[in-house]
Amino acid sequence: MRKFLRLYRVFAVQNLKKLMEYRADFLTGLISFLISQSFNILFLGIIFSQIPNLAGWTYNQILFIYGFSLLPQGLDHLLTDNLWMVAYFTVRKGEFDKYLTRPINPLLHVIMEAFQLDAFGELILGIALLCTAAVGLKITISAVNILLFLVAVAAAALIYTDMKIIGAALAFWLKSSGEVLNMFYDMNDFAKYPTSIYNKTVRGIVTYIIPFALTGFYPASYFLTGKDPLFCIGVPVLVSLVLLALAYWVWSRGINAYESAGS
């Protein structure tokens, strides 16, 4: 662990140096995200100006769920976004060789190699929405809930990363799996709203198959209602660990199938 943290610090410093050369790109990404998400919040406001609740959920409750869902999404975006390069380009161009010739676990190397500072747009907006909704709902804050909140966010972020590892690993067989990974991630919008507004099929998919509902709605609902902590917090933790084992297995099998360039 100490070696990993030392290496991560070295990679982080180099990344910051590169990012400082293109500050406009960082600011553009940050502002673009805030603008796009602001339109979603505006759309919610328009809906709730016409109706008192949505399937029994109030405007502030949905704001809380929406804000919560942005935190694990933002952490995953910040720390592991280099996996998209594996999915789209690195394997197809035969550039994955460099990860196999260095004395670092290839998966850790890919993750450490780059991070995305524009993810702070998601984190900033998520925190702002949570604080605004919590004040409106008069949510009671306790030491236990703070601990559970941190655990839930970490587990939810790991679920995102697990799905990203699996999607990226498919490139070892498909050569490019970016579109498959995009399909996975397109489902994360369902995490931002109560699952009760969807039909049974969609609800089952986003809960049990591509479990993004476990990254947003379910853990957030515990902090809103105080009900079912074992399912709302415990299940995301369990799923994140099971998926991590599955993701690493798929990744390892994928490396064995890697053919490099010109093969």
Side-chain angles (χ1 to χ4, degrees):
M1 179 59 72
R2 185 178 300 174
K3 178 183 178 182
F4 169 75
L5 293 175
R6 185 171 65 252
L7 285 170
Y8 193 87
R9 185 176 70 250
V10 171
F11 276 104
V13 169
Q14 296 306 313
N15 271 297
L16 283 173
K17 289 179 180 178
K18 288 190 292 185
L19 288 168
M20 288 303 99
E21 294 179 7
Y22 303 98
R23 298 177 189 178
D25 287 349
F26 160 62
L27 292 174
T28 300
L30 179 66
I31 294 170
S32 296
F33 175 83
L34 290 173
I35 291 174
S36 66
Q37 294 299 318
S38 295
F39 278 112
N40 289 339
I41 304 304
L42 178 62
F43 178 69
L44 276 176
I46 292 172
I47 290 176
F48 276 92
S49 68
Q50 305 298 317
I51 58 175
N53 63 74
L54 184 63
W57 297 88
T58 67
Y59 177 62
N60 277 328
Q61 287 177 320
I62 291 183
L63 274 190
F64 187 91
I65 296 167
Y66 198 107
F68 184 96
S69 72
L70 291 177
L71 297 187
Q73 182 180 328
L75 285 175
D76 169 69
H77 183 188
L78 175 69
L79 299 174
T80 70
D81 227 43
N82 202 39
L83 286 164
W84 285 97
M85 296 299 293
V86 175
Y88 272 109
F89 306 113
T90 309
V91 172
R92 179 168 59 84
K93 293 182 177 181
E95 296 174 356
F96 194 79
D97 295 24
K98 68 178 182 179
Y99 299 110
L100 300 176
T101 58
R102 296 173 183 173
I104 309 175
N105 181 288
L107 178 57
L108 293 180
H109 191 180
V110 170
I111 291 173
M112 289 189 296
E113 192 174 45
F115 57 86
Q116 294 292 337
L117 287 181
D118 57 2
F120 280 106
E122 289 156 291
L123 297 173
I124 291 170
L125 183 58
I127 292 170
L129 291 177
L130 281 175
C131 292
T132 300
V135 170
L137 294 166
K138 299 179 180 179
I139 292 177
T140 302
I141 299 174
S142 67
V144 172
N145 275 350
I146 291 173
L147 178 60
L148 289 176
F149 182 87
L150 295 175
V151 169
V153 170
L158 185 56
I159 289 174
Y160 271 102
T161 301
D162 295 340
M163 299 302 297
K164 190 181 289 183
I165 292 170
I166 292 171
L170 293 177
F172 293 120
W173 292 279
L174 303 176
K175 307 309 176 190
S176 178
S177 61
E179 296 307 319
V180 177
L181 188 51
N182 258 323
M183 182 185 70
F184 286 168
Y185 264 64
D186 283 345
M187 301 295 289
N188 73 12
D189 282 339
F190 291 100
K192 296 179 174 66
Y193 305 98
T195 58
S196 55
I197 70 174
Y198 309 125
N199 62 41
K200 290 183 178 180
T201 301
V202 173
R203 193 157 60 239
I205 291 172
V206 299
T207 301
Y208 303 109
I209 300 176
I210 304 177
F212 283 130
L214 299 178
T215 70
F217 169 67
Y218 286 111
S221 68
Y222 165 73
F223 298 105
L224 291 172
T225 66
K227 297 177 180 179
D228 297 324
L230 189 60
F231 182 85
C232 294
I233 305 296
V235 169
V237 171
L238 178 62
V239 168
S240 70
L241 296 176
V242 171
L243 273 180
L244 179 61
L246 174 62
Y248 194 73
W249 179 79
V250 173
W251 177 269
S252 299
R253 291 291 298 272
I255 287 180
N256 291 334
Y258 176 62
E259 297 177 336
S260 189
S263 298

